[in-house]
Amino acid sequence: NTLRLIRVGETSFEVELTKEPCKNKMECNVVIKPIVETVLKDAYDVDRVSCAVRTKNLNCSCRLNLASALRLNLGFSQVQSEGTTICGDSYTRFRIKGGIEVVALSDGMGVGARAAKESNTVISLLEQLLAIGFNKKIAIKIISAVLEIRSQEETFATLDLLIINTYTGEAEFIKIGAAPSFLKRGNQIGIIKTNSYPMGILDLADVKSQKMILRKGDLVVLLSDCVLDSGEFLDKEEWIVSILKDLRVQDP
């Protein structure tokens, strides 16, 4: 059996544990969680992704994350362009240490398979680089460099990045050539946007971000510019705002 403490604050830790399988007796919740909470004097949530019952592994491993102030409920939807069978946009949602949730959307240049190849490269590299501890701005610079050198043709892709600290509620929006995002809070709609070039022609100085504190019940909408362009309105942003104002559904 092995146990590892991961510092996420001055006095706060996350816990990783590997042990013999408990044969679905839920020892991670029933036995381990109360002990960890007693010793570390914090509330924890158990992540059973690597439970031996699910993965058929010889050992069982679980992760105890600090109980979050925010819980995220996410939904994704996409439609391919007319005349193609593949959507050129790619997206992901993953968690990294310190209670950080990452949501990302990339829109590749063009349509179909070529666009999908570029956007998938952005999303895949982003997930790998952030997971192993790269600073987000350095990760973005590396991805942009990869897009620049991988082809003699012009290769661009946008990146719409939302980074949420689920312990504090702080959200950081980073937009690289990406469409505006929208925040619905009660009857109020906010628009989050920055100006920057797409990945592949990016100057690191152009990486700007906006930060805000999310609250319980907030609805955040990230979308590609194709969604904005699909409405036959002069004010494309106002078209989305009007939809969100009338929206009565909270489930993403």
Side-chain angles (χ1 to χ4, degrees):
N1 295 347
T2 61
L3 184 144
R4 184 164 73 106
L5 295 180
I6 303 167
R7 185 181 292 276
V8 294
E10 290 187 8
T11 59
S12 301
F13 300 88
E14 291 181 348
V15 181
E16 286 185 348
L17 178 71
T18 301
K19 57 183 286 296
E20 295 178 354
C22 64
K23 299 180 181 179
N24 212 27
K25 294 179 182 178
M26 300 284 287
E27 289 181 354
C28 51
N29 274 293
V30 177
V31 178
I32 298 169
K33 180 175 180 285
I35 294 174
V36 169
E37 290 181 333
T38 300
V39 173
L40 297 181
K41 295 180 173 55
D42 265 317
Y44 282 84
D45 295 323
V46 178
D47 182 351
R48 298 177 63 236
V49 170
S50 299
C51 174
V53 173
R54 299 181 181 181
T55 61
K56 310 300 181 185
N57 290 332
L58 294 177
N59 289 321
C60 188
S61 61
C62 68
R63 185 182 182 102
L64 283 79
N65 301 312
L66 281 166
S68 302
L70 286 181
R71 293 184 182 275
L72 272 61
N73 186 15
L74 281 88
F76 296 97
S77 181
Q78 61 181 185
V79 177
Q80 65 270 22
S81 299
E82 186 175 347
T84 67
T85 58
I86 299 175
C87 180
D89 298 346
S90 299
Y91 58 82
T92 189
R93 177 259 182 103
F94 58 96
R95 185 184 180 100
I96 55 179
K97 67 179 182 179
I100 305 298
E101 292 274 0
V102 180
V103 183
L105 168 66
S106 179
D107 182 358
M109 183 181 68
V111 296
R114 178 185 175 185
K117 180 181 179 182
E118 306 309 333
S119 65
N120 186 64
T121 296
V122 170
I123 294 299
S124 178
L125 285 174
L126 176 76
E127 191 164 349
Q128 293 176 57
L129 292 170
L130 293 186
I132 61 177
F134 272 86
N135 171 278
K136 53 185 174 291
K137 285 195 174 183
I138 299 301
I140 290 170
K141 186 175 182 180
I142 291 172
I143 297 167
S144 184
V146 169
L147 291 183
E148 285 186 68
I149 65 176
R150 66 179 288 168
S151 172
Q152 294 182 347
E153 301 176 5
E154 291 185 336
T155 303
F156 308 138
T158 68
L159 175 62
D160 204 352
L161 184 59
L162 172 58
I163 303 173
I164 303 173
N165 186 321
T166 58
Y167 300 151
T168 65
E170 183 178 79
E172 182 176 12
F173 294 81
I174 299 176
K175 294 185 172 293
I176 312 298
S181 296
F182 299 83
L183 170 64
K184 178 179 173 68
R185 178 174 293 168
N187 294 322
Q188 302 298 313
I189 310 295
I191 302 176
I192 301 103
K193 55 183 176 181
T194 60
N195 295 320
S196 68
Y197 294 109
M199 310 285 285
I201 52 174
L202 174 69
D203 182 342
L204 188 59
D206 287 330
V207 179
K208 301 179 179 68
S209 68
Q210 290 192 38
K211 294 182 179 180
M212 63 181 65
I213 301 296
L214 296 181
R215 302 175 185 170
K216 181 180 179 181
D218 283 352
L219 179 67
V220 179
V221 179
L222 275 62
L223 44 78
S224 66
D225 57 7
C226 298
V227 178
L228 287 175
D229 293 339
S230 64
E232 296 179 358
F233 300 94
L234 292 177
D235 192 334
K236 299 174 182 178
E237 294 173 8
E238 187 57 36
W239 172 61
I240 302 296
V241 168
S242 64
I243 291 175
L244 294 177
K245 281 185 176 179
D246 293 336
L247 190 65
R248 295 296 175 262
V249 178
Q250 281 296 105
D251 185 348

